[in-house]
């Protein structure tokens, strides 16, 4: 038999090949078996590709914008933003937008309606941007997990089923449950056993309704773990003492106790911020540049960032389990005011230098080469008032937004442009498109979808069927290849 090497399209981030057996082979059976085994391994890797993971060498960039109604707090105006406004300021269509809601759902005090994430604000962009949805256990009880009923999970599953159904909203969804669970600032934190149980319970409930949701496990970065000596009333301190030395400190693993298992996790994520040099004061307000390689130090460990190198997050989870990594939320803070004063804090390095120094530690080709599983970055496009108070009245108002100040957004555009086709921007929304099969429903116009994307370009884009191979074509070829492979293996047995 003769083995013909034929390159095919990319699916799920992996380049792959198909081997077609023909009669008259001059290659030994052993050599042929070796090639087929190699193909089987490639096919298995392809089949395991994570839902909504961009191709190798590609990333998705987006934001978590302040969609609440505009309100004035002290000297700043909060809220009033939208995904459409973000796209206009950036001049590009972000590939992902972050939103949140609680479980159980919050109820409006005005009309008694359930407060779900404002998906309509993404819909009006008319793009196919991913909805990155954070689900916060309600903060209204001491142990908030006790409030989550089976009915709450069913409602969430139905909601996600409707959002992801190609015949309805047809929106890709990534779901982050109970983020930063290793911290002590949410009432659900520091309870690893309970957290793991609830994470699995939620995943099982949603998967029973829809297979179109990608699940994100997202602890806080490990800098300064365990984040002080204040433990929550329900903290499972024995489980947190991972080295069993009788205390919980920086020598304990900040992540492992909370790991729900690879079968329950599609993406691994982290919250990662630069608020200033912690050696200067607390709360930090020095408006200094982020250290070189800050992002790497935070995900792999460094004394510079007070992250224990014994627990490298990227290596332990993204690399070990072959899971794509997302910065679920992050950014650099520019300190504006201290609580009780309307006098601007010293600019020092300035907002441009502070924020650009942060994003340049990950928006660069060398970083992507070193950390190929880092696939998505979501900037926290908010202002926060009175953060990190030490005595209740000296908190800092900080600006994390990178698309409002003209000099900052101009620099961001320049740095994004320099990455060229590395970034997958959102394309126009195509009604009926099925992201699992790569096909368009019967109610659509019958076009196929091209997924070629470049900086500033939109994808997927409706194209004529005779153009570049669509996702559906590639999926069909993959199925055919697996069938051929099965036949070849049976013949060689």
């Amino acid at each position: 038999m003769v083995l013909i090497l034929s390159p095919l399209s990319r699916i799920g981030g992996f380049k792959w090949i198909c081997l077609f057996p023909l009669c008259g082979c001059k290659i030994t059976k052993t050599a042929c078996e070796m090639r087929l085994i190699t193909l089987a391994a490639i096919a298995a890797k392809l089949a395991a590709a994570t839902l909504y993971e961009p191709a190798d060498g590609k990333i998705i960039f987006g934001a978590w914008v302040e969609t609440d109604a505009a309100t004035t707090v002290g000297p700043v105006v909060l809220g009033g933003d939208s995904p459409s406004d973000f796209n206009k300021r950036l001049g590009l269509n972000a590939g992902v937008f972050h939103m949140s809601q609680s479980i159980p759902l919050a109820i409006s005090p005005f009309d008694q309606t359930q407060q779900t994430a404002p998906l309509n604000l993404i819909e009006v962009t008319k793009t196919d941007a991913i909805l990155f949805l954070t689900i916060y256990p309600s903060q209204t009880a001491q142990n908030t997990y006790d409030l989550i009923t089976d009915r709450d999970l069913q409602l969430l599953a139905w909601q996600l089923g409707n959002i992801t159904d190609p015949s309805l909203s047809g929106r890709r969804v990534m779901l982050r449950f109970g983020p930063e669970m290793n911290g002590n600032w949410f009432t659900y934190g520091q309870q690893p056993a309970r957290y793991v149980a609830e994470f699995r319970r939620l995943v099982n409930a949603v998967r029973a309704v829809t297979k179109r949701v990608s699940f994100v496990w997202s602890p806080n970065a490990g800098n300064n773990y365990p984040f002080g000596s204040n433990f929550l009333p329900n903290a499972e301190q024995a489980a947190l003492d991972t080295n069993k030395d009788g205390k919980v400190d920086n020598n304990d693993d900040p992540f492992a106790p909370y790991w729900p298992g690879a079968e329950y996790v599609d993406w691994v994520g982290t919250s990662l911020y630069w608020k200033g040099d912690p050696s200067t004061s607390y709360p930090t307000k020095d408006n200094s540049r982020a250290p070189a390689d800050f992002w790497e130090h935070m995900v792999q460990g460094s004394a510079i960032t007070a992250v224990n190198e014994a627990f490298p997050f990227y290596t332990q989870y993204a690399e070990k389990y072959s899971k794509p990594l997302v910065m679920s939320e992050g950014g650099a803070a520019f300190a504006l005011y201290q609580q009780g004063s309307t006098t601007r804090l010293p600019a020092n390095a300035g907002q441009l230098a502070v924020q650009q120094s942060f994003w340049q530690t990950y928006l660069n080709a060398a970083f992507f080469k070193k950390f190929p599983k880092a696939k998505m970055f979501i900037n926290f496009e908010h202002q926060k008032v009175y953060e990190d108070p030490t005595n209740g009245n000296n908190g800092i108002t900080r600006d994390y937004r990178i698309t409002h100040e003209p000099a900052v957004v101009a620099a961001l555009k320049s740095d994004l442009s320099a990455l060229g086709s590395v970034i997958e921007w959102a394309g126009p929304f195509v009604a009926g498109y099925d992201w699992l099969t790569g096909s368009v429903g019967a109610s659509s116009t019958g076009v196929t979808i091209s997924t070629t994307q470049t900086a500033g370009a939109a994808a997927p884009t409706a194209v004529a069927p005779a153009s570049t191979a669509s996702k559906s074509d590639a999926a069909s070829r993959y199925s055919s290849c697996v069938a051929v492979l099965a036949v070849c293996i049976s013949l060689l047995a």
Side-chain angles (χ1 to χ4, degrees):
M1 113 182 3
V2 175
L3 294 176
I4 298 176
L5 219 58
S6 177
L8 289 183
S9 299
R10 299 168 69 89
I11 308 177
F14 298 100
K15 288 182 178 177
W16 61 298
I17 57 175
C18 187
L19 295 151
F20 295 91
L22 301 174
C23 295
C25 180
K26 301 296 183 182
I27 301 174
T28 67
K29 179 179 178 182
T30 300
C32 187
E33 286 176 335
M34 290 298 294
R35 296 187 188 192
L36 289 171
I37 290 170
T38 300
L39 177 58
I42 294 171
K45 189 176 183 183
L46 174 62
T50 295
L51 190 61
Y52 311 140
E53 177 183 357
D56 289 344
K58 303 284 187 179
I59 68 162
I60 298 174
F61 182 80
W64 188 355
V65 299
E66 294 183 277
T67 58
D68 293 337
T71 181
T72 300
V73 179
V76 299
V77 177
L78 306 177
D81 202 359
S82 72
S84 293
D85 289 336
F86 179 85
N87 285 347
K88 289 176 183 177
R89 293 191 299 270
L90 189 60
L92 297 161
N93 291 328
V96 58
F97 284 104
H98 192 151
M99 294 180 169
S100 67
Q101 64 187 51
S102 64
I103 188 169
L105 284 168
I107 304 298
S108 168
F110 304 106
D111 58 10
Q112 302 304 301
T113 57
Q114 295 175 324
Q115 302 297 287
T116 57
L119 175 63
N120 62 299
L121 296 181
I122 299 180
E123 301 288 351
V124 298
T125 67
K126 298 182 180 180
T127 72
D128 62 4
I130 295 170
L131 167 62
F132 189 101
L133 182 63
T134 287
I135 302 296
Y136 288 106
S138 172
Q139 297 295 292
T140 58
Q142 189 178 67
N143 198 333
T144 58
Y145 294 123
D146 293 339
L147 298 177
I148 303 173
T149 66
D150 290 342
R151 174 66 174 173
D152 294 322
L153 294 174
Q154 186 71 70
L155 288 173
L156 175 63
W158 287 340
Q159 176 193 6
L160 297 175
N162 288 338
I163 293 173
T164 58
D165 188 330
S167 67
L168 299 172
S169 293
R171 180 76 48 187
R172 290 171 291 171
V173 174
M174 295 172 62
L175 188 144
R176 179 180 75 149
F177 171 71
E180 302 170 7
M181 76 302 290
N182 55 340
N184 55 12
W185 45 89
F186 291 122
T187 59
Y188 58 78
Q190 298 182 326
Q191 302 177 67
R194 186 67 187 273
Y195 172 81
V196 167
E198 296 298 329
F199 191 101
R200 292 173 175 173
R201 179 185 172 211
L202 181 146
V203 171
N204 287 334
V206 174
R207 284 179 175 168
V209 173
T210 176
K211 306 300 183 186
R212 302 175 187 277
V213 174
S214 201
F215 294 94
V216 183
W217 176 73
S218 189
N220 199 73
N223 55 313
N224 297 301
Y225 182 81
F227 316 114
S229 58
N230 297 322
F231 290 94
L232 295 168
N234 297 302
E236 301 168 5
Q237 293 193 48
L240 300 179
D241 180 18
T242 59
N243 63 0
K244 305 304 177 187
D245 66 352
K247 57 185 177 182
V248 179
D249 58 20
N250 192 245
N251 293 313
D252 292 301
D253 193 324
F255 314 117
Y258 302 91
W259 178 240
E263 65 272 31
Y264 292 94
V265 175
D266 297 304
W267 288 69
V268 295
T270 188
S271 301
L272 197 157
Y273 289 94
W274 170 252
K275 298 182 181 181
D277 184 351
S279 69
T280 58
S281 66
Y282 190 87
T284 50
K285 55 182 183 293
D286 66 309
N287 286 326
S288 58
R289 290 178 174 84
D293 300 321
F294 176 74
W295 223 91
E296 177 178 349
H297 293 326
M298 291 289 278
V299 297
Q300 289 296 78
S302 169
I304 296 173
T305 53
V307 178
N308 193 331
E309 295 177 65
F311 311 111
F313 184 78
Y314 180 89
T315 299
Q316 286 182 315
Y317 298 99
E319 205 168 66
K320 178 180 179 180
Y321 296 104
S322 192
K323 303 288 185 182
L325 171 66
V326 52
M327 182 176 78
S328 305
E329 57 177 276
F334 183 64
L336 299 174
Y337 304 96
Q338 187 141 25
Q339 191 171 355
S341 173
T342 57
T343 301
R344 287 287 293 263
L345 291 166
N348 295 333
Q351 187 165 359
L352 171 57
V354 169
Q355 296 183 319
Q356 187 178 40
S357 67
F358 174 81
W359 78 59
Q360 284 186 339
T361 66
Y362 66 86
L363 287 179
N364 68 82
F367 176 86
F368 298 142
K369 184 176 181 180
K370 191 170 185 178
F371 299 99
K373 296 302 289 183
K375 295 291 190 77
M376 183 180 289
F377 302 89
I378 302 174
N379 194 76
F380 187 65
E381 192 76 356
H382 282 60
Q383 294 182 103
K384 296 283 284 185
V385 295
Y386 314 146
E387 278 195 310
D388 305 328
T390 56
N391 56 16
N393 63 6
N394 69 338
I396 305 298
T397 294
R398 299 182 174 118
D399 189 356
Y400 294 89
R401 303 171 305 171
I402 55 177
T403 62
H404 284 262
E405 288 297 318
V408 176
V409 71
L412 176 62
K413 288 180 180 181
S414 178
D415 287 344
L416 291 172
S417 178
L419 293 172
S421 61
V422 167
I423 303 179
E424 289 191 354
W425 299 103
F429 179 79
V430 179
Y433 183 72
D434 189 334
W435 288 93
L436 286 187
T437 65
S439 61
V440 181
S443 62
S444 73
T445 60
V447 297
T448 59
I449 306 301
S450 168
T451 58
T452 303
Q453 295 167 312
T454 58
T461 308
V463 297
S467 67
T468 306
S470 69
K471 283 185 177 179
S472 55
D473 294 334
S476 176
R477 291 181 186 180
Y478 171 65
S479 299
S480 299
C481 180
V482 171
V484 171
L485 176 63
V487 172
C488 292
I489 292 175
S490 67
L491 292 173
L492 289 169

